[in-house]
Amino acid sequence: MLSYLRVLASALLRPLRAIHRFVKFLIKQEYQADGVRHLNLGLDLYNQGLYHDALKQFSQALSYFQRIKDLKNEGTTLSNIGGAYRSIGQYSNALENYQKALSLHLEVMDRKMEGKTLCGIGAVYSLLGQYSEALRHYNHSLIISREIGDLCNEAATLSNTGLIYGRLGQPQKALDKYQEALKIYRSQNHRNGEAAILNNLGQTYNELSQYPEALELHHQCLNIEIENNHLSGQASSLNNIGCIYRQMGQYTKALEHYTKALKIFKKLDDRANEATALHNFGGIYDQTGQYQEALKYYHQALSIRREIGVQEDEGTTLNNIGAVYSFLEEFPKALQYYEEALSLHRQIGDFGGQSTTLNNIGHIYFRYGNYTTALECYQEALVIASKMGDHDTEATVLSNLGLLNASLKDFEKALNYYELALALRREINARPGQAETLYLIGDVYCDLGNYSKAQNYLQEALAISNEIGDSLSESNTLSILGLMYRHLKEYEKAIKYYKQSLIICKRLGNRMTELQNIEHIGELFLELKQHSKALKYYQQALAVAKEQGYQNNEDKIVKIINEINSCLFD
């Protein structure tokens, strides 16, 4: 009897267990569907640049996948969380999630996601300025992608490797990697990938000062984005075209393109790129000496970058605000913004940002006349830049060390630093930087009274500036030629060069340099005892100083005008 009851009980329980298993299966299916839904929502938000909102969706997706022990989707989600943290500049969080994802990819043997996550880790190390570590991960990712035939990730990794070589000042290697990636994307008719590579090629040619080639590539990229009705890509291309026109000193065209880009970013509610466009507006006004307007746009960009938590970009904007206050000779304010930027760069481990900011802080102490502290900052910046292999920043710091020693009248040491900066800029083919270093060397030879050497360097600087269309360097070089002829007491020639520089400044809208040139011409007419002409130029200078709010200049000019009036009416 008991045996019969046991058999009966067992027979009754079997359907119950089956039902239980079926219910568990349904719950698992539901959780998985919910997880996939949140994951896809997160990806959509990520692609719109809404990284914090994307993180919320990814976190919800992760909780569903963890409940049902779906290790494959859990790994994919963790990798996407790493990407979102990378995009908002939280690099330690990004690496932590990428590493968790990588462990799961290895456990479930998901080779495709393993390659993608390694590429993501490489991108974080690249942003941190740890280029050898970045390249190590990219190479590993590339091996896997080629092994399993993942052409899409292979092309993406080649593109990212190209970016590293660009930052290391090896443009030809960068171009080679981009061309490899472009070939893959075109073979797959992957138009979005093709557009991304054309953009990177354009950026590289821009850095090489080959502006016509850069513009052509960015226009090709823009055409693909229009063809695909990809508004975000169109806006990015317009922004990049604006950057090239800015490099060429064609500020009106640059503003036109930035305005079009900003309109699209606002329409898309792409806050990150809206901040980038506003930051670029600030850059134009900064470069043209319209400092109050620059501050207005920089602060708008800063507000958005703080709101969305993109810390690396926040540090960049803080740096630029500091630079504006430096130009306005409001050094305590400049230092305050630089120190805030430095703290942020250190917090997120951004070595590139640290070296740039330390260089800027050094320049403030240089302007204060505190050469010891300036030297310490420059040397710390130089060590970081050299360790990173960042030749561009390295050359900038060496150039500033030259400037510091020139101010101390140690012209031999100044020339040594300038020559080192020039060699680096020639090595990485940084043509605008070469022009700048050449005219600074010319300036030192002017101070040494070696005018034939000064003229050689200045003429070379002028030739490069004309060749690449760098109007700003051309203007600065003409101004130093004016100074040289002033030293030689060839005042008419000096006035001619200052006037040529002045014409360019007015065209560019560079108000501070415009003011300085007007003052130089006024000084020369005073030396020629032509007080009426001198007065005319100082009155022009006063109008610019008042219009732009250059209070220190205004006070000085008013005093000189009063002295000239005294001479005229005595």
Side-chain angles (χ1 to χ4, degrees):
M1 185 68 180
L2 283 172
S3 174
Y4 170 76
L5 288 173
R6 285 194 195 99
V7 170
L8 180 63
S10 175
L12 289 169
L13 281 172
R14 273 198 294 271
L16 289 174
R17 288 194 193 105
I19 291 166
H20 181 65
R21 281 197 300 273
F22 184 64
V23 168
K24 278 182 75 176
F25 172 75
L26 288 177
I27 291 170
K28 184 176 181 180
Q29 289 290 96
E30 189 179 336
Y31 278 0
Q32 188 170 53
D34 284 340
V36 169
R37 181 169 55 83
H38 284 294
L39 177 60
N40 289 334
L41 281 170
L43 289 169
D44 286 342
L45 290 163
Y46 180 89
N47 290 329
Q48 293 173 54
L50 302 170
Y51 304 119
H52 286 279
D53 291 335
L55 275 170
K56 288 175 187 173
Q57 295 296 329
F58 290 147
S59 295
Q60 288 188 57
L62 186 66
S63 68
Y64 283 112
F65 293 137
Q66 286 175 335
R67 277 185 225 172
I68 59 175
K69 294 183 171 53
D70 182 347
L71 300 184
K72 189 174 190 294
N73 275 318
E74 183 183 343
T76 300
T77 307
L78 283 164
S79 185
N80 285 315
I81 289 171
Y85 277 123
R86 185 188 79 209
S87 297
I88 60 175
Q90 294 188 25
Y91 301 133
S92 57
N93 282 336
L95 286 174
E96 182 186 335
N97 282 280
Y98 275 139
Q99 292 296 351
K100 285 179 184 175
L102 197 59
S103 296
L104 289 171
H105 301 328
L106 290 167
E107 188 176 336
V108 300
M109 293 185 290
D110 187 347
R111 297 285 278 162
K112 188 170 184 176
M113 278 307 302
E114 183 186 349
K116 285 185 177 180
T117 300
L118 284 164
C119 185
I121 294 170
V124 175
Y125 282 119
S126 174
L127 289 164
L128 289 169
Q130 298 180 38
Y131 298 133
S132 57
E133 197 63 21
L135 285 172
R136 187 172 72 82
H137 282 84
Y138 286 151
N139 288 335
H140 192 180
S141 173
L142 205 55
I143 288 165
I144 292 170
S145 297
R146 284 172 172 165
E147 202 175 281
I148 65 173
D150 184 354
L151 291 172
C152 191
N153 193 59
E154 181 185 347
T157 307
L158 285 165
S159 177
N160 287 351
T161 306
L163 289 171
I164 294 278
Y165 286 123
R167 286 172 186 151
L168 288 170
Q170 298 178 44
Q172 192 51 56
K173 276 192 173 181
L175 290 172
D176 290 344
K177 295 296 177 186
Y178 293 146
Q179 290 294 352
E180 277 187 71
L182 186 62
K183 188 177 177 182
I184 292 170
Y185 282 133
R186 282 180 170 163
S187 73
Q188 298 297 299
N189 197 27
H190 193 312
R191 298 290 274 168
N192 287 338
E194 182 181 347
I197 297 299
L198 289 167
N199 172 68
N200 289 348
L201 285 164
Q203 299 282 62
T204 305
Y205 280 111
N206 181 25
E207 286 158 17
L208 290 168
S209 308
Q210 296 182 30
Y211 302 128
E213 292 87 346
L215 281 172
E216 171 59 28
L217 287 157
H218 281 303
H219 277 293
Q220 285 181 38
C221 176
L222 179 60
N223 289 337
I224 293 173
E225 302 295 10
I226 291 168
E227 172 195 314
N228 290 344
N229 196 28
H230 186 204
L231 287 177
S232 178
Q234 290 172 42
S236 294
S237 292
L238 288 163
N239 182 69
N240 291 334
I241 291 167
C243 289
I244 295 169
Y245 281 122
R246 177 180 163 189
Q247 289 279 87
M248 295 169 75
Q250 296 185 31
Y251 299 125
T252 305
K253 280 190 174 181
L255 286 171
E256 283 172 12
H257 284 82
Y258 287 154
T259 302
K260 288 176 184 176
L262 181 61
K263 189 177 177 181
I264 297 172
F265 289 137
K266 282 184 172 178
K267 181 181 177 181
L268 295 172
D269 196 28
D270 184 345
R271 300 289 279 161
N273 278 312
E274 181 184 343
T276 298
L278 290 165
H279 180 92
N280 287 339
F281 270 97
I284 293 276
Y285 291 116
D286 184 352
Q287 209 163 336
T288 56
Q290 299 175 62
Y291 297 126
Q292 295 309 318
E293 201 68 10
L295 286 172
K296 182 180 87 174
Y297 281 102
Y298 282 146
H299 277 293
Q300 285 180 43
L302 183 64
S303 175
I304 293 171
R305 285 172 167 176
R306 282 178 167 162
E307 177 194 321
I308 62 177
V310 184
Q311 292 178 301
E312 183 187 15
D313 292 341
E314 182 186 339
T316 302
T317 303
L318 287 165
N319 241 315
N320 284 23
I321 293 171
V324 172
Y325 282 119
S326 175
F327 279 117
L328 290 170
E329 297 186 351
E330 295 185 35
F331 299 129
K333 270 191 177 178
L335 203 54
Q336 174 195 328
Y337 280 98
Y338 284 148
E339 293 287 2
E340 195 177 343
L342 183 61
S343 172
L344 197 58
H345 290 311
R346 282 177 169 159
Q347 182 185 323
I348 63 175
D350 178 5
F351 292 110
Q354 287 175 49
S355 62
T356 299
T357 310
L358 283 162
N359 174 67
N360 291 341
I361 292 170
H363 191 65
I364 292 292
Y365 284 113
F366 167 71
R367 295 291 298 276
Y368 268 136
N370 185 343
Y371 296 137
T372 305
T373 307
L375 187 62
E376 287 170 4
C377 290
Y378 287 149
Q379 285 173 336
E380 191 177 347
L382 191 62
V383 167
I384 295 171
S386 300
K387 196 178 286 185
M388 286 173 60
D390 181 355
H391 291 334
D392 191 31
T393 302
E394 197 177 343
T396 301
V397 179
L398 287 166
S399 187
N400 283 340
L401 284 164
L403 200 60
L404 186 149
N405 282 283
S407 299
L408 291 168
K409 306 298 179 190
D410 190 341
F411 297 121
E412 187 180 343
K413 198 175 272 189
L415 285 171
N416 285 337
Y417 280 117
Y418 284 146
E419 290 291 353
L420 286 169
L422 183 61
L424 276 177
R425 282 171 165 165
R426 281 180 169 154
E427 184 185 326
I428 63 174
N429 200 26
R431 301 285 276 164
Q434 288 174 45
E436 180 191 58
T437 310
L438 286 162
Y439 70 64
L440 287 170
I441 293 171
D443 197 23
V444 170
Y445 280 117
C446 278
D447 286 327
L448 288 168
N450 190 337
Y451 299 116
S452 61
K453 266 198 168 181
Q455 190 168 28
N456 288 339
Y457 279 98
L458 293 169
Q459 289 299 339
E460 190 180 348
L462 204 55
I464 292 173
S465 301
N466 286 326
E467 182 191 328
I468 64 174
D470 185 352
S471 300
L472 192 61
S473 285
E474 183 185 354
S475 169
N476 289 337
T477 306
L478 288 165
S479 188
I480 296 170
L481 279 163
L483 175 67
M484 184 186 82
Y485 283 111
R486 183 174 179 175
H487 284 324
L488 289 166
K489 301 196 183 301
E490 295 184 38
Y491 297 133
E492 295 300 331
K493 273 190 177 178
I495 289 169
K496 182 187 84 171
Y497 280 108
Y498 281 133
K499 282 183 175 178
Q500 286 179 22
S501 177
L502 180 60
I503 289 165
I504 296 170
C505 292
K506 284 182 173 177
R507 189 181 78 236
L508 296 178
N510 194 332
R511 306 310 301 279
M512 177 57 85
T513 312
E514 178 187 343
L515 174 64
Q516 289 167 347
N517 277 309
I518 294 169
E519 286 186 280
H520 290 321
I521 295 167
E523 288 162 7
L524 285 165
F525 279 123
L526 277 180
E527 290 195 42
L528 289 166
K529 309 295 183 192
Q530 296 181 32
H531 294 94
S532 296
K533 284 187 177 179
L535 182 62
K536 185 183 92 172
Y537 277 95
Y538 276 112
Q539 284 169 339
Q540 286 180 35
L542 183 60
V544 174
K546 280 184 173 177
E547 186 186 328
Q548 296 300 310
Y550 302 151
Q551 191 61 52
N552 292 342
N553 299 80
E554 187 182 336
D555 295 341
K556 184 183 76 173
I557 294 163
V558 166
K559 188 178 175 184
I560 293 168
I561 287 173
N562 289 336
E563 287 171 2
I564 294 170
N565 282 326
S566 296
C567 292
L568 285 170
F569 297 111
D570 273 352

